[in-house]
Amino acid sequence: MVSATAFDSSLLGDNFTIVPRLDRPSTYKDHQYQGTAEQWNADMAKSTTLYVGNLSFYTTEEQLYEVFSKAGEIKRIIMGLSRQTKTPCGFCFVEYYTHESALECMKYVNGTKLDDRIIRTDIDPGFREGRQFGRGRSGGQVRDEYRQEYDEGRGGWGYM
């Protein structure tokens, strides 16, 4: 005989959820960030900037405005560029006027497809001049230098 007992959900606490929240930033920390851990947390808590990754090299600013403006008014979009060729290299920064708009965008756009690619979004501590350039040795993104497969949307074969 199986006995049924009542489930007391109060034992789980307020923060328990089966489905992860989509409006929470990842635990990634930019290793080039100059401030302390406390400054990082403060910047992230008020940031209006999203980092967008895994873009096609052929995605345009106009396409980005079309998608990202659905979450709130955009202040500006900064396309990620290859340091050497000054051509798009698969990422961008989207600045909103409010932190809430950035969170809404992250919640609804992260993991969706744009130009046949699943894009990733994350809260960023804020754009500074120079961050628009790829950090890889070839001038693009580091991740593309180690790619083993052919990826037409990201310029073909990896660089290494």
Side-chain angles (χ1 to χ4, degrees):
M1 175 191 285
V2 177
S3 115
T5 57
F7 179 72
D8 184 1
S9 64
S10 67
L11 298 174
L12 298 175
D14 294 334
N15 294 326
F16 180 79
T17 180
I18 293 173
V19 179
R21 292 194 51 154
L22 300 174
D23 61 347
R24 297 275 166 89
S26 74
T27 56
Y28 172 79
K29 184 176 184 292
D30 182 357
H31 67 277
Q32 292 187 354
Y33 183 78
Q34 299 293 317
T36 65
E38 291 79 24
Q39 289 169 320
W40 171 267
N41 291 333
D43 287 349
M44 295 296 278
K46 66 180 185 211
S47 177
T48 60
T49 305
L50 276 184
Y51 169 85
V52 183
N54 203 38
L55 294 172
S56 166
F57 288 7
Y58 307 105
T59 299
T60 66
E61 273 189 65
E62 291 77 19
Q63 289 173 287
L64 294 168
Y65 269 103
E66 179 68 28
V67 172
F68 287 86
S69 66
K70 306 247 186 270
E73 188 176 357
I74 294 174
K75 187 174 185 179
R76 68 180 175 158
I77 293 179
I78 300 105
M79 296 296 288
L81 303 173
S82 164
R83 202 175 327 107
Q84 275 86 6
T85 64
K86 307 299 187 266
T87 58
C89 64
F91 71 97
C92 75
F93 297 94
V94 179
E95 287 186 354
Y96 287 94
Y97 284 98
T98 67
H99 180 67
E100 292 73 26
S101 292
L103 289 177
E104 284 295 300
C105 185
M106 189 173 68
K107 181 168 42 174
Y108 293 113
V109 176
N110 190 39
T112 61
K113 275 192 172 185
L114 177 62
D115 276 348
D116 291 325
R117 303 191 63 77
I118 296 175
I119 58 174
R120 296 185 305 266
T121 62
D122 203 359
I123 296 293
D124 188 83
F127 175 77
R128 289 180 321 281
E129 193 58 42
R131 289 195 62 209
Q132 73 270 32
F133 299 114
R135 296 178 180 171
R137 284 181 275 174
S138 64
Q141 287 188 281
V142 173
R143 67 185 296 256
D144 285 319
E145 294 182 349
Y146 297 99
R147 183 169 27 84
Q148 299 293 314
E149 73 283 349
Y150 183 81
D151 189 341
E152 184 177 351
R154 292 187 70 86
W157 294 102
Y159 301 112
M160 302 294 281

